[in-house]
Amino acid sequence: VKTFATDVSSSAEIKETCIALASSPDEQDGENTFPVFLKTGDLRDNLNINDNRDIIGTEILIKGNIESYYASIGFNNTYEYVK
């Protein structure tokens, strides 16, 4: 994901519609992330970074369909999560 950013200091710059998952909480390279679309509802309300900064660096399990997303392989149709 080439547009991946680790700076979450400005809410105006953070999209509420997606997050990037990585195998390490310290990942800095967007190429090593997995983009996840957060559809409207509980997923977006509970996993968007603007409203849930406490989830940064934590483990999240998400179910969805693996598809092309952000010109990469990712979850475009998410439907369940556990945090």
Side-chain angles (χ1 to χ4, degrees):
V1 179
K2 296 184 186 343
T3 59
F4 171 79
T6 59
D7 181 6
V8 294
S9 60
S10 173
S11 295
E13 299 296 320
I14 302 171
K15 291 185 178 186
E16 293 186 353
T17 58
C18 60
I19 59 175
L21 301 182
S23 60
S24 167
D26 301 319
E27 185 59 63
Q28 298 290 313
D29 185 354
E31 296 285 329
N32 296 326
T33 64
F34 189 83
V36 177
F37 173 69
L38 302 175
K39 70 181 185 180
T40 304
D42 285 344
L43 271 158
R44 188 174 297 173
D45 293 343
N46 294 309
L47 298 180
N48 81 77
I49 299 301
N50 276 330
D51 297 327
N52 303 283
R53 293 183 186 247
D54 60 317
I55 68 169
I56 296 172
T58 65
E59 186 172 299
I60 298 172
L61 303 173
I62 299 176
K63 287 185 180 180
N65 296 334
I66 297 175
E67 301 173 354
S68 179
Y69 186 57
Y70 268 92
S72 179
I73 297 296
F75 279 151
N76 197 6
N77 182 21
T78 52
Y79 52 86
E80 191 175 346
Y81 73 96
V82 176
K83 66 176 187 175

